[in-house]
Amino acid sequence: MSRIMSPIATPIPGWPLPTDETHDPARTSWVESANGHPDFPIQNLPFGVFSLGNGEPRIGVAIGDLILDMKALSAAGLLDEHWGLALGLGSLNAWFAHGPEDGAALRKRLSELLSSDNHRHAVEKHQVRQSAAELYLPCAIGDYTDFYVGIHHATNVGRQFRPDNPLLPNYKYVPIGYHGRASSVRVSGQPVIRPKGQRKPPDAELPEYGPSRRLDYELELGIFIGRGNELGQPIPIGEAGGHIAGYCLLNDWSARDLQAWEYQPLGPFLAKNFLTSISPWIVSADALAPFRSPMPPRPQGDPAPLPYLDAAAEREGGRLRIQTQVTLSTEQMRRSGIEPFVLSRSSADAAMYWSAAQIVAHHSSNGCNLQPGDLIGT
C-alpha cells in the first residue's frame, strides 16, 4: 500500500465561504515549501507527534516540508500561556480536551505566525525538516470504534457474505459500528503481518487454521474525539460536531476469509483486530470548514433519520467534500520505476450515508462516555 497521507480536498466555489482569513486559498507563507504544497499548505496546518533522533516525542504542526515544534514555540512565549502545558506533552489528548474554541484560536495564531514576515525570525528557529523526524501515533488511543457508513462499501461487503440480502434492513435507520482493538492501531508505514485464523471454504467439511488468503484493505476517514462527555450524558446531534477534534486517513485491514467464518453472530473479531493503519497527521475540523456541504436528500423510499440524528446544521453542512484514493506500489514496481497503480477512488460526501456528527451522536446516545483521543473509523 502507498503511504497514507492527510486528507486533501477541493473546495466547491460558493459553498461554503471560508470562515476567516486562515482558510483564504490565496494566503501564502514565508515557508517557501508550503506555497503550492499538495498536502501541507498554510491552509491545512495538521497536528502530529514527532521526535528527532532519540529525543522525546513532541507535538508538531506540518507546514510544507517542515514541522513546527509546539513545545519550543510555547516556551519562546509565542503562544497563549494557558496552552503551554497541553502543547508540551508527547500526545495530543490533553490538547484535544481544550475543545474547539482553543483549537480555532491556536490555528489562527499559527496562521498569523507563518504568514507574516514580521514573525519569521522568531519562528523559523523552532522548525525541523520532516525528512529528519520520526512520526508517532498522534494520540494515546484509549478506544477505537469502526462504523459502517459507506453505503456502497456496505453493499459490496454484504454481498460477499449474503449475496441475496447484502444490505440488512437496520442499515438505513441506525449507524452500524463495532468496537475495535485500540492496541493494534499503528501509524502508516508500519509493516503488515499477515494474520492467521480459522477459515472454512464453502466446499470444506471442516474449518482449518492458517494465514489469511484474502487480505483486504478499507479506505476510511478516521475521526478523533476532542472534548468528551460524561458517562450517562449523550451528546446532542446539534453539538456533536464540536466534539470532533480532527480527521485522518485510516486503513482498516481485513482478512475476509476469516471474517466470513467468524462474523456470525457477534461480528468482526480476529479478521480485523490484527492491525489498523492511520496517517500520522490529524487535520483539524476547523481547517476543513470550507469543505462542508449539505447532506443530500435521502433516496426515494429511504427513511428519514430519527430525531436524535437529525439537525438543521447537519442538513446544511454535515458532509465533507473530500476526494480520497488508494494506490498500490510494490517493491518490484519501485525498482522498475513503475508509477503506483490506482486501486480505488472515492468521494466522502457521496459515499457516507451517515455524517461524522451523526456517528458521534449515535455512539454516545446510550450514555457511552467518549474521551479525548478516542478514534472512530467510517
Side-chain angles (χ1 to χ4, degrees), residues 76-153:
L78 295 170
L79 302 177
D80 192 306
E81 62 180 12
H82 91 277
W83 299 339
L85 178 60
L87 292 175
L89 302 176
S91 72
L92 283 159
N93 300 65
W95 173 248
F96 284 170
H98 273 241
E101 298 84 3
D102 277 1
L106 175 58
R107 173 183 159 77
K108 184 172 288 191
R109 175 59 174 164
L110 292 176
S111 185
E112 175 193 358
L113 291 175
L114 292 165
S115 62
S116 172
D117 278 326
N118 294 335
H119 299 294
R120 179 170 185 166
H121 177 72
V123 173
E124 62 183 355
K125 67 185 72 174
H126 304 304
Q127 294 179 321
V128 300
R129 298 200 65 80
Q130 288 196 38
S131 59
E134 181 177 356
L135 299 176
Y136 300 89
L137 282 178
C139 289
I141 301 170
D143 280 297
Y144 162 52
T145 305
D146 196 26
F147 277 85
Y148 204 35
V149 303
I151 190 167
H152 307 300
H153 168 69

Side-chain angles (χ1 to χ4, degrees), residues 1-3 194 217 253 326-343:
M1 298 293 295
S2 62
R3 184 166 68 93
R194 185 176 295 273
Y217 68 90
W253 296 97
V326 177
T327 60
L328 176 70
S329 176
T330 67
E331 184 177 351
Q332 183 175 343
M333 289 170 66
R334 292 190 290 273
R335 283 200 306 264
S336 303
I338 299 174
E339 290 295 314
F341 180 79
V342 177
L343 295 175

Side-chain angles (χ1 to χ4, degrees), residues 237-238 310-318:
I237 180 62
D310 188 26
E314 281 305 289
R315 292 194 298 270
E316 295 168 4

Side-chain angles (χ1 to χ4, degrees), residues 204-228:
E205 182 179 355
L206 297 173
E208 59 187 16
Y209 173 84
S212 172
R213 296 172 180 169
R214 295 173 59 198
L215 188 59
D216 197 7
Y217 68 90
E218 290 183 3
L219 170 61
E220 307 183 23
L221 292 183
I223 301 167
F224 276 97
I225 295 298
R227 188 175 290 162

Side-chain angles (χ1 to χ4, degrees), residues 46-352:
F47 285 80
V49 172
F50 76 100
S51 74
L52 293 176
N54 295 321
E56 62 177 7
R58 305 162 79 94
I59 295 173
V61 169
I63 175 71
D65 296 331
L66 305 175
I67 299 174
L68 189 58
D69 186 332
M70 291 292 97
K71 183 175 183 178
L73 205 66
S74 182
L78 295 170
L79 302 177
D80 192 306
E81 62 180 12
H82 91 277
W83 299 339
L85 178 60
L87 292 175
L89 302 176
S91 72
L92 283 159
N93 300 65
W95 173 248
F96 284 170
H98 273 241
E101 298 84 3
D102 277 1
L106 175 58
R107 173 183 159 77
K108 184 172 288 191
R109 175 59 174 164
L110 292 176
S111 185
E112 175 193 358
L113 291 175
L114 292 165
S115 62
S116 172
D117 278 326
N118 294 335
H119 299 294
R120 179 170 185 166
H121 177 72
V123 173
E124 62 183 355
K125 67 185 72 174
H126 304 304
Q127 294 179 321
V128 300
R129 298 200 65 80
Q130 288 196 38
S131 59
E134 181 177 356
L135 299 176
Y136 300 89
L137 282 178
C139 289
I141 301 170
D143 280 297
Y144 162 52
T145 305
D146 196 26
F147 277 85
Y148 204 35
V149 303
I151 190 167
H152 307 300
H153 168 69
T155 303
N156 291 335
V157 172
R159 191 175 287 119
Q160 295 184 42
F161 306 130
R162 300 177 301 276
D164 299 327
N165 187 29
L167 203 63
L168 296 175
N170 65 346
Y171 184 86
K172 295 182 178 181
Y173 286 94
V174 56
I176 304 296
Y178 69 92
H179 288 285
R181 183 74 180 176
S183 65
S184 54
V185 178
R186 292 289 186 274
V187 72
S188 59
Q190 297 295 312
V192 181
I193 300 173
R194 185 176 295 273
K196 295 179 180 179
Q198 283 195 32
R199 57 176 180 266
K200 184 180 180 296
D203 56 351
E205 182 179 355
L206 297 173
E208 59 187 16
Y209 173 84
S212 172
R213 296 172 180 169
R214 295 173 59 198
L215 188 59
D216 197 7
Y217 68 90
E218 290 183 3
L219 170 61
E220 307 183 23
L221 292 183
I223 301 167
F224 276 97
I225 295 298
R227 188 175 290 162
N229 61 299
E230 294 295 329
L231 182 65
Q233 299 296 319
I235 299 173
I237 180 62
E239 301 174 11
H243 289 260
I244 296 174
Y247 299 81
C248 67
L249 286 190
L250 184 150
N251 187 344
D252 178 25
W253 296 97
S254 303
R256 297 300 185 201
D257 46 353
L258 312 187
Q259 185 177 356
W261 174 237
E262 75 173 9
Y263 87 103
Q264 298 185 67
L266 294 181
F269 182 41
L270 299 183
K272 297 277 192 176
N273 67 9
F274 60 95
L275 181 67
T276 302
S277 301
I278 65 169
S279 53
W281 297 105
I282 300 176
V283 179
S284 70
D286 185 52
L288 291 175
F291 308 105
R292 301 190 70 84
S293 64
M295 298 282 286
R298 289 284 176 94
Q300 187 173 2
D302 282 13
L306 294 180
Y308 81 101
L309 294 174
D310 188 26
E314 281 305 289
R315 292 194 298 270
E316 295 168 4
R319 292 287 176 97
L320 289 171
R321 290 190 180 272
I322 296 178
Q323 305 298 314
T324 57
Q325 72 175 23
V326 177
T327 60
L328 176 70
S329 176
T330 67
E331 184 177 351
Q332 183 175 343
M333 289 170 66
R334 292 190 290 273
R335 283 200 306 264
S336 303
I338 299 174
E339 290 295 314
F341 180 79
V342 177
L343 295 175
S344 63
R345 292 188 177 96
S346 181
S347 175
D349 63 314
M352 292 176 62

